[in-house]
Amino acid sequence: MAENKERIGVYVCHCGTNIAGVVDVEEVARWAKENLGDQGVVISKDYKFMCSSLGQDMIQADIQKEGLTRVVVAACSPHLHEKTFRVAAERAGLNPYLTELASIREQVSWVHKDKVVATEKSKAVVAGAVSRVVMHEPLEPIIVPIAEPTLVVGGGIAGIQAALEIANAGHPVYLVEREPSIGGHMAQFDKTFPTLDCSACILTPRMSEAGTHPNITLLTYAEVEQVDGFVGNFDVTIRQKARCVDTDACTGCGICEQKCPKKVIDDVFEVGLGYRKAIYTPFDQAVPKYPVIDRENCTYFEKGTCRVCEKFCPTDAINFEQEDEIIEINVGNIILATGYDLFDARRIPQYGYGRLANVFTSLEFERMTNAAGPTSGDILLRDGKTVPKSVGIIHCVGSRDRNYNNYCSAICCMQSLKFAHLVDERTSATVYNFYIDMRTPAKDYDEFYQRVLDEGTLFVRGKVAEVTDAARISGEEGKLIVQVEDTLAGKQRRIPLDMVILSAALEPRHDAYETAHKFGIACSANGWFTEKHPKLDPVATMTEGIFIAGAATGPKDIPASVSQGSAAAARVLSYIERGELALEPVRAMINQEQCSGCRICNDLCPYNAILFHEDQMVSEINQALCQGCGTCVAACPAGAITGTVFSDKQVFAQIDGLLFLEKSALVPEMA
Amino acid sequence: MSDKPKFAMYWAASCGGCEIAVLNIHEKILDVDANFDIAFWPVAMDAKYKDVEAMEDGSILLTLFNGGIRTEENEHLAKLLRKKSQILVAFGSCAVEGGNPGLANFSTKDQIFETVYSTVSTENPDGVYPQPSFEMPEGTITIPVFEPVLRTLDQVVDVDYYMPGCPPESHQIEAVIDLVIQVLEGKAELPPKGATIGVGPSTCCDECTRTRNVKKIKEFRRIQLVDDIDPDLCLLEQGILCVGPATASGCGAKCPTAGAPCIGCYGPAAGVVDFGARMMTAVASVIDSRDPDEIDRILDGIVDPAGTFYKFNLAHSLLRTGNATWNGK
């Protein structure tokens, strides 16, 4: 410290009364000036709002007039204004990375009530920042060019929307979907709430637009295998699964599907309620129109004979020898819109799904009400012919339940109301809704609730304990009995019904963690993809160039998914338009001499930035991929990895500074 | 005495292995004799403290000091030899970072005495505890005071070089002796003051011949309880807690090569500030589970975390297990 030649300016922000209400900011500024001179502090000031243009001007003027070489701003969290003050320093000709933001708001004034304690703690935090800022080194941003094409993963409504926005702006898009057709869950629905639009009617025009758009390369029945590279320059390896259909020759006439003798239960699109053939398109309006052969169930692949589809195909498009194809593309940005899985209602055995025939899941019911579905839109019991006289709809199945998922699945209330309306419209059945709380916050949603109330649907507020077929009293025989505490009436009720629909939770895709790891992004504890900022940057991730949209980020209805698809596209377009991107130079680096190649760090990087050189037995960090998170820095047992801005030297200096008051207090005692 | 430069070696709180290690350099010991006068080396030849006290300051060229500072006597000799030596080397793990005796810093002085003088295996019917001074008819007799914590040599005096190892390897000792002789002959220069000598730049893994893969640990196992160890695969990957990844290279990775996990005697690698903390974060990073209960179960497989991660370096760690502001008196 003795040889410190730095000239440091300390600026203490009042943040209105946010900080000044609890911390004596004038005292902190005065103290820093008087006591941290040895550390290089030459100026120390307080000001009402440091982030205002006048506050920034003050810092800039001091840098220029007083020749400040380092700046410490004691204000809010670096998350909020680190950038503001870096830019201010840069405008005054100082390298932006020679600044330090000391949080005396989030870490002091907001968490303390005692003014004396808070003021003393602020001094310690400022002293820590001063010690630390001395260790900073000037850094230059890393400039990367942005390749024009974009990869969109997931062909549901969010992915389709994103792909169309970018394609319509004139830029190439690869849209990858693992099922044979795009469309996602929306293609399975009959009506959408609250407008009761026909889902297919509003979705299929978008699907066919995406399918025929000159700027969109559609890769269905395909999955991303590997992602290398970084923002602006991702190398993506895609496995195009063999359709066994030559798409250049196929006209999509559908004769093969008609003639195929092998019927298979359709577990995906029809959620087990209907059949498809071994060569199939998932539904009539599928995009692309080309069918695929399900090799696990095709008679030819099982037994070596049949080839009926080949015989009848008018264009010789069937190709049993087709193999999976590996496609390699280079893209500048990636949007993940991989959607959700439905909660497996079998996990709640007391609701009887899978055991009691007439307990249905919400997605089964969606298919049942769909005019193109297995019952042609008729609402029938599992026997396929009986129309129910009474139907119960259970909300929050697997949501808002500490045994399964704590979160609210957001769409179930509205979906259940829609179901109630559809039952009312198509049968004369009595309809019950069993709900915990009714949540209808979006545009026209509560109006729809009122409408369903008016239609005579019965509402029971309470969590269903059990759905059973064990009759206890007359009138229950042959029925499903819903046991529920009616919390408004204050009593237990047993309600006999013909049909029960479970509004199952939306869950992250079963392979969401693997997907997140593949693309180098993070998942929340629940498994949803994590946003860069939940409020201010909901479609970006901590990995530059990887964006997220739709239900993959959390339960969402169609309008919200579409909005996110557009938002992600807008973010990507701004990168494409700029052509290049300046990345923060906050990075980790491995000292090659100290690295022994122990490989402890290899699998830890959330951004896949660590590369292991087998020949030299050392690991290396790709500077463009690294986001400076520090995971590997902490994990490296050899201390061979240094994080810029967070080096051991910087962190220990900060700790020393934080303990400055302690040490000065100890001096007289020790002397 | 001739006018050859003077050499000294002293044994403080340690086991004596370092002394044996110096003798274990075989015929090289003759080079020591040829180039140095042995001024003070209690384990090898008779000497009195008062002889050292009578020497001129700085008259000993090279002192290898092994052992931590646990008693007043250790401290006195550390300060004395510092004054009399031009080059003071903290020699071996105990002098460098506290070594095994430093693990006693987890216990207070009273707890240590309790264990040593009154537990089941001790025969002490009168409950006699050592007293620093005792009145006898013949006069007062004293023994050195047992200090509250064990300190490393550099926590007591200024140290020129650090040479870790429990004990330092013979070939490294030979290399250092050769270097000093070359310096005496004007053929080489000493490394910068404060340097760690007799070690490699990387970690134990660098010298280990076992194959290493990406690590995912599902279970920790104690090597003495298993018999299915793959002789060619990284021990850590097999759930054997080997601390080689955080340990400085230089020993030739003798233990892991022979089938036993590294215990960290060569001290922290160059970039490591706190050995135990480093190794713990590393191990925590590669536990292959997301389930908190399973993670707990896996970690329970580490039966002695303190003794495993701080086996040699507790006294020098950030934990400061003694009183942080305790300055000797």
Side-chain angles (χ1 to χ4, degrees), chain B residues 169 171-172 198 200 204 207 247-256 265-266:
Chain B
E169 285 296 326
H171 72 278
Q172 297 286 14
C204 183
E207 297 174 331
T247 306
S249 53
C251 63
K254 284 202 164 66
C255 300
C265 81
Y266 250 66

Side-chain angles (χ1 to χ4, degrees), chain A residues 513 593-600 602-604 612 614 617 631-640 648 652 666 670, chain B residues 201-203 205-206 212-216 236-237 245-246 269-273 278-279 281-282 285-286 290 318 325 327:
Chain A
Y513 275 111
E593 199 190 22
Q594 289 177 7
C595 175
S596 65
C598 75
R599 308 196 66 179
I600 280 180
N602 284 191
D603 209 27
L604 303 179
F612 180 67
E614 200 86 46
M617 293 298 279
T631 305
C632 61
V633 181
C636 176
D648 279 357
F652 283 118
L666 285 172
M670 279 156 65
Chain B
S202 185
T203 75
C205 302
D206 203 39
R212 296 190 286 281
N213 301 297
V214 170
K215 304 208 174 1
K216 285 183 189 298
L236 193 53
E237 282 165 45
V272 176
V273 176
R278 269 283 152 208
M279 198 59 215
T281 49
S285 304
V286 291
R290 289 181 187 282
L318 292 176
T325 53
N327 60 1

Side-chain angles (χ1 to χ4, degrees), chain A residues 109-182:
Chain A
S109 69
W110 282 358
V111 291
H112 291 288
K113 286 182 186 151
D114 185 323
K115 217 169 167 169
V116 176
V117 171
T119 304
E120 289 305 293
K121 183 171 167 186
S122 298
K123 291 176 187 173
V125 172
V126 168
V130 167
S131 302
R132 180 182 158 84
V133 82
V134 175
M135 299 294 165
H136 284 355
E137 282 168 20
L139 301 171
E140 295 301 327
I142 300 167
I143 306 286
V144 292
I146 302 290
E148 193 189 355
T150 303
L151 168 67
V152 177
V153 183
I157 187 60
I160 291 173
Q161 182 72 20
L164 284 174
E165 297 274 10
I166 297 167
N168 285 337
H171 305 289
V173 178
Y174 297 94
L175 178 56
V176 174
E177 165 60 50
R178 76 174 150 200
E179 295 299 327
S181 169
I182 57 171

Side-chain angles (χ1 to χ4, degrees), chain A residues 248-266:
Chain A
D248 289 335
C250 175
T251 61
C253 69
I255 291 176
C256 55
E257 202 168 343
Q258 281 169 23
K259 299 291 181 189
C260 173
K262 180 72 181 279
K263 264 183 160 184
V264 183
I265 292 176
D266 183 355

Side-chain angles (χ1 to χ4, degrees), chain B residues 123-171:
Chain B
E123 186 151 341
N124 186 7
D126 301 330
V128 176
Y129 279 67
Q131 304 300 321
S133 70
F134 193 75
E135 298 300 331
M136 297 282 286
E138 296 83 355
T140 307
I141 55 169
T142 59
I143 54 169
V145 171
F146 188 86
E147 291 175 343
V149 291
L150 181 137
R151 286 171 295 160
T152 63
L153 184 60
D154 72 352
Q155 286 168 346
V156 178
V157 296
D158 189 35
V159 168
D160 297 305
Y161 300 109
Y162 299 86
M163 186 158 180
C166 183
E169 285 296 326
S170 303
H171 72 278

